[in-house]
Amino acid sequence: MTEPTTTPGRRTDAPRAARGTPAPGTGTPGAGAPDAGAPDAGAPDAGTPGGFAGAVACEWTKLWSVRSPYLCLLAGLAITGVFTFYYASIARINDHPVEPVGNAAASSAVLAQFAVVILATVAVTSEYATGSVRASLLWVPRRHRVQAAKALVVAVVSFTAGVVYAVVGTAVAWGAFGGRASFDAGTTLRQALSVGLYLALVAALTVGTAFATRHPAGALAILVTLLWGLPSVLLGVGGPELAAVNDCLPHGAGDHFMRSGVEAPYAPVAAMLIVVAWAAVAHLAGLYVLRRRDA
C-alpha cells in the first residue's frame, strides 16, 4: 500500500477547509467556518444589562450574597425597638410634656445608624480585604461608576430599613408612652420618611469614607467619632458655641429634620442639605482615592 503523494508547489484542500473556505465542488464552508446564525463567543449576552444599570445589578447581587447585611439590618431593628421603648418609658415615668410619637423613632437613629454604617463599611472594605475589588474594576473599568453604584444600592437598602425602623419604633413607643405622646398621621409619615432619608445619607457618607480609607478600622473610627463621639463631647461640655458646632455635624443636623415639635436653628430643608453636603464631601474624597490609587 502506497502513501498518497502531492505535487510540489500545489496545496491540498485540507488547509482551505480549516480556514472555512468552500471546498472545490461544494457550496458549504469548511469545518473551521463560523456559523452565521451562531452567537459570537466573545460577544456579551444581549440580555445582560450594561453601563450603570449593570453596575447596580452587580452591586445588588454582591450585597445580598453574604450574611452580614441581614445581620446588620436585624440588629438595627432590635436596637430601634429597645431604644424607642426606653425613650417612651422615661417620658412616661418623668411626666415629660406631650410630644409627637414619632420623636422616639427619630431619636433612636443615634444608635440605629450604626447598623447601616457597618453594612456599608463591610460592603466596600471586604472587597479590598479579599482582593475581589480588582475583579469589580475589571468588570466596570470606570471607577466612578463602581462607587456610585455601590452608594446607590446601599442607600436604597438603608432608606427602606430606616422607614421600617421608624414604623416599628413608633408602634413600640405608642404603647410605652402611656398617653404622653400625640399621633398625627401626616407628621408620623413625614418623620418615618425623614429617618429613612437620614440613614440613606449616612450610608452614602459611609461608602465614600470606606473608599477613602480602604480599611474597616479606619472607616469605623472616623464615622463613630463624627456621628457619635464628637456630638457627645460637644453637647456634654455645653455652651451655645459648641451647640452651634454640633448643629453643623451630620447627626446634629439630621436630628433637626427628623424630630418634630422641637426648636431648631434652621429649617428642616437646610438641615437635610447639611447632611447631603457631608455625604457629597465623603463621596468626592473616596472617588479621589479610588482614582489615584491602584486596587
Side-chain angles (χ1 to χ4, degrees):
M1 182 176 181
T2 62
E3 297 182 358
T5 60
T6 57
T7 306
R10 297 185 61 185
R11 298 164 62 182
T12 63
D13 291 331
R16 182 182 300 174
R19 294 193 304 270
T21 306
T26 65
T28 59
D35 185 2
D40 185 4
D45 185 5
T48 303
F52 185 67
V56 170
C58 180
E59 295 299 334
W60 181 268
T61 302
K62 288 190 293 184
L63 180 67
W64 298 114
S65 62
V66 293
R67 290 191 297 267
S68 58
Y70 302 96
L71 297 176
C72 290
L73 295 176
L74 288 175
L77 183 62
I79 290 171
T80 301
V82 172
F83 187 95
T84 51
F85 182 83
Y86 169 79
Y87 181 97
S89 299
I90 292 298
R92 183 189 72 250
I93 294 171
N94 295 329
D95 292 329
H96 288 179
V98 175
E99 60 180 308
V101 64
N103 281 356
S107 298
S108 70
V110 69
L111 294 179
Q113 64 183 339
F114 291 106
V116 300
V117 165
I118 296 174
L119 185 151
T121 300
V122 172
V124 176
T125 58
S126 62
E127 293 198 44
Y128 284 100
T130 60
S132 61
V133 66
R134 299 184 184 91
S136 298
L137 296 178
L138 286 174
W139 185 255
V140 186
R142 297 185 178 181
R143 299 192 173 194
H144 70 278
R145 185 175 291 173
V146 173
Q147 182 180 355
K150 193 177 291 290
L152 177 61
V153 168
V154 176
V156 169
V157 172
S158 300
F159 175 82
T160 306
V163 174
V164 173
Y165 292 170
V167 171
V168 173
T170 299
V172 171
W174 178 251
F177 265 119
R180 306 300 303 177
S182 61
F183 176 81
D184 178 74
T187 301
T188 304
L189 177 61
R190 182 190 67 79
Q191 288 187 281
L193 296 176
S194 297
V195 172
L197 178 59
Y198 174 73
L199 292 188
L201 292 174
V202 168
L205 169 67
T206 303
V207 169
T209 304
F211 269 111
T213 60
R214 301 188 171 194
H215 197 278
L220 290 176
I222 293 173
L223 292 166
V224 169
T225 301
L226 181 64
L227 298 174
W228 182 77
L230 190 56
S232 299
V233 172
L234 294 174
L235 295 179
V237 174
E241 294 82 7
L242 297 182
V245 173
N246 180 69
D247 291 335
C248 297
L249 296 179
H251 183 259
D255 188 66
H256 288 315
F257 79 78
M258 286 188 292
R259 301 184 67 188
S260 179
V262 296
E263 184 178 355
Y266 37 64
V269 174
M272 181 190 67
L273 291 178
I274 291 174
V275 186
V276 170
W278 278 98
V281 170
H283 183 84
L284 292 176
L287 182 59
Y288 176 80
V289 174
L290 184 61
R291 284 179 167 175
R292 297 278 295 184
R293 294 176 56 185
D294 294 332

